[in-house]
mmCIF file of all heavy atoms in Angstrom:
data_model
loop_
_atom_site.group_PDB
_atom_site.id
_atom_site.type_symbol
_atom_site.label_atom_id
_atom_site.label_comp_id
_atom_site.label_asym_id
_atom_site.label_seq_id
_atom_site.Cartn_x
_atom_site.Cartn_y
_atom_site.Cartn_z
ATOM 1 N N GLU A 9 -16.390 4.637 -4.631
ATOM 2 C CA GLU A 9 -17.349 3.989 -3.731
ATOM 3 C C GLU A 9 -18.137 2.902 -4.460
ATOM 4 O O GLU A 9 -18.354 1.814 -3.923
ATOM 5 C CB GLU A 9 -18.320 5.024 -3.153
ATOM 6 C CG GLU A 9 -17.745 5.834 -2.030
ATOM 7 C CD GLU A 9 -18.789 6.724 -1.376
ATOM 8 O OE1 GLU A 9 -19.423 7.530 -2.093
ATOM 9 O OE2 GLU A 9 -18.967 6.592 -0.154
ATOM 10 N N THR A 40 -3.692 -8.185 8.804
ATOM 11 C CA THR A 40 -4.634 -7.212 8.267
ATOM 12 C C THR A 40 -3.929 -5.903 7.937
ATOM 13 O O THR A 40 -3.154 -5.399 8.745
ATOM 14 C CB THR A 40 -5.764 -6.946 9.283
ATOM 15 O OG1 THR A 40 -6.423 -8.186 9.562
ATOM 16 C CG2 THR A 40 -6.780 -5.961 8.749
ATOM 17 N N SER A 64 13.075 0.747 15.953
ATOM 18 C CA SER A 64 14.113 1.657 15.467
ATOM 19 C C SER A 64 15.451 0.946 15.254
ATOM 20 O O SER A 64 16.249 1.366 14.412
ATOM 21 C CB SER A 64 14.278 2.838 16.422
ATOM 22 O OG SER A 64 14.656 2.391 17.708
ATOM 23 N N ALA A 67 15.543 -0.181 11.656
ATOM 24 C CA ALA A 67 15.194 0.828 10.646
ATOM 25 C C ALA A 67 16.074 0.749 9.404
ATOM 26 O O ALA A 67 15.577 0.783 8.276
ATOM 27 C CB ALA A 67 15.248 2.225 11.246
ATOM 28 N N ASN A 83 4.421 1.035 -10.871
ATOM 29 C CA ASN A 83 3.193 1.669 -10.396
ATOM 30 C C ASN A 83 3.125 1.580 -8.882
ATOM 31 O O ASN A 83 2.686 0.580 -8.326
ATOM 32 C CB ASN A 83 1.987 0.981 -11.034
ATOM 33 C CG ASN A 83 0.749 1.832 -10.980
ATOM 34 O OD1 ASN A 83 0.740 2.898 -10.367
ATOM 35 N ND2 ASN A 83 -0.311 1.368 -11.603
ATOM 36 N N SER A 122 -1.401 -6.501 -3.469
ATOM 37 C CA SER A 122 -0.548 -7.517 -4.089
ATOM 38 C C SER A 122 0.911 -7.360 -3.670
ATOM 39 O O SER A 122 1.618 -8.357 -3.486
ATOM 40 C CB SER A 122 -0.638 -7.434 -5.614
ATOM 41 O OG SER A 122 -1.919 -7.763 -6.052
#
Side-chain angles (χ1 to χ4, degrees):
E9 281 187 304
T40 301
S64 60
N83 199 354
S122 294

